Amino acid sequence: MIFEMHCHTRHGSACSYMTPEQLVAQAVKVGLDGVCITEHDTPWDRHATERLSEHFGILVIGGMEVSTEYGEVLVWGLHEPIFDMQDIHDLRRRVDRAGGVMVAAHPFRGAQSLVRWDPDAGIVPKLDQAVRLPIFKIVDGMEVFNGMAPDWELDLSSAVCDRLPIMGTGGSDAHNVDCVGDCVTVLENRVATEEDFYEEIKAGRYGAEHRLIGRRYPANGAKGPPAKR
Ligand SMILES: [Zn+2]
Ligand SMILES: [Zn+2]
């Protein structure tokens, strides 16, 4: 099943240019089986996403993009609004109580200090430093493909995920209809409910695709055994 896991609508994100209906209609048009709406700090009422699911015939799941001291995190399972920057450990406890999941959003956005430029080799990641970011010990997964990320960020995310015991998702971070489905998460199993979806994400039974540039994660079909941390 092909899922868009990261996008914003005008319902809860002032930075977005599409309504929820435009988003889901576009998701259907580009062949997706499911879409997660992840507004900044604003939850979705489950009845509202269920109505969208029924109307458009694909699974619509409400998540949230929450700011923490370790960066932004995509969160599923919480249905109350968030007003301040969250303590990530507290957020983890609340998500666990709700049976939800957490994925590090674009974990290297703005993290140019974690790469260096070599005149011969080009951009060289500081992998040892990058894999030790504390957020990776707290989340269930990390976004390897974010539709707004430049190549060095995609490379760094993929290389880091290779070394971690968590899996990598894809999400376009779409704020307008043209970007919906640029990056997707491909689930191995069919899911019919939000709870099924959380189960598959927790278990890491998925891969990611960057459909704009034809790139997949894991690149060789399977992720290697995680290196010692
Ligand atoms: Zn973000
Ligand atoms: Zn976002």
Side-chain angles (χ1 to χ4, degrees):
M1 278 184 104
I2 305 175
F3 260 81
E4 162 69 84
M5 278 183 67
H6 186 167
C7 35
H8 301 272
T9 76
R10 292 201 69 77
H11 165 71
S13 303
C15 50
S16 174
Y17 294 95
M18 61 184 160
T19 64
E21 290 80 7
Q22 287 171 326
L23 163 67
V24 184
Q26 182 70 8
V28 171
K29 194 173 157 192
V30 298
L32 308 186
D33 303 300
V35 59
C36 300
I37 312 180
T38 54
E39 317 286 21
H40 293 285
D41 305 321
T42 306
W44 268 80
D45 179 80
R46 188 158 179 169
H47 297 296
T49 47
E50 280 170 0
R51 272 202 302 276
L52 285 169
S53 298
E54 277 165 27
H55 184 79
F56 288 96
I58 64 171
L59 188 55
V60 181
I61 297 177
M64 251 192 292
E65 185 169 18
V66 177
S67 301
T68 76
E69 73 275 36
Y70 291 165
E72 290 184 323
V73 182
L74 298 169
V75 169
W76 287 266
L78 298 185
H79 293 280
E80 67 272 11
I82 296 215
F83 295 106
D84 298 305
M85 184 182 282
Q86 297 295 296
D87 175 293
I88 197 166
H89 299 283
D90 179 49
L91 188 65
R92 179 78 256 184
R93 281 189 288 272
R94 283 159 57 204
V95 169
D96 284 343
R97 274 201 299 275
V101 283
M102 288 169 71
V103 171
H106 45 70
F108 301 113
R109 182 172 289 177
Q112 278 90 347
S113 62
L114 289 173
V115 292
R116 64 184 175 80
W117 187 77
D118 180 280
D120 300 315
I123 292 174
V124 182
K126 299 178 188 173
L127 267 183
D128 290 338
Q129 213 177 319
V131 291
R132 284 199 296 270
L133 290 192
I135 193 169
F136 298 132
K137 291 195 170 156
I138 298 165
V139 290
D140 302 293
M142 63 181 279
E143 206 171 54
V144 289
F145 295 151
N146 175 288
M148 287 159 67
D151 283 348
W152 70 263
E153 221 180 291
L154 302 174
D155 293 343
L156 180 60
S157 301
S158 303
V160 165
C161 196
D162 278 344
R163 291 174 163 221
L164 292 173
I166 55 174
M167 191 57 180
T169 66
S172 66
D173 211 348
H175 290 66
N176 64 69
V177 286
D178 292 337
C179 298
V180 176
D182 283 355
C183 296
V184 293
T185 301
V186 183
L187 304 185
E188 291 170 19
N189 300 318
R190 284 205 75 77
V191 297
T193 65
E194 288 187 20
E195 287 71 22
D196 292 349
F197 175 77
Y198 302 157
E199 204 52 51
E200 295 306 302
I201 297 300
K202 274 186 208 161
R205 287 188 285 262
Y206 60 87
E209 272 183 45
H210 198 313
R211 304 205 299 184
L212 269 190
I213 56 174
R215 207 166 142 165
R216 282 164 192 258
Y217 186 85
N220 302 316
K223 190 156 125 58
K228 280 202 182 72
R229 299 159 82 182

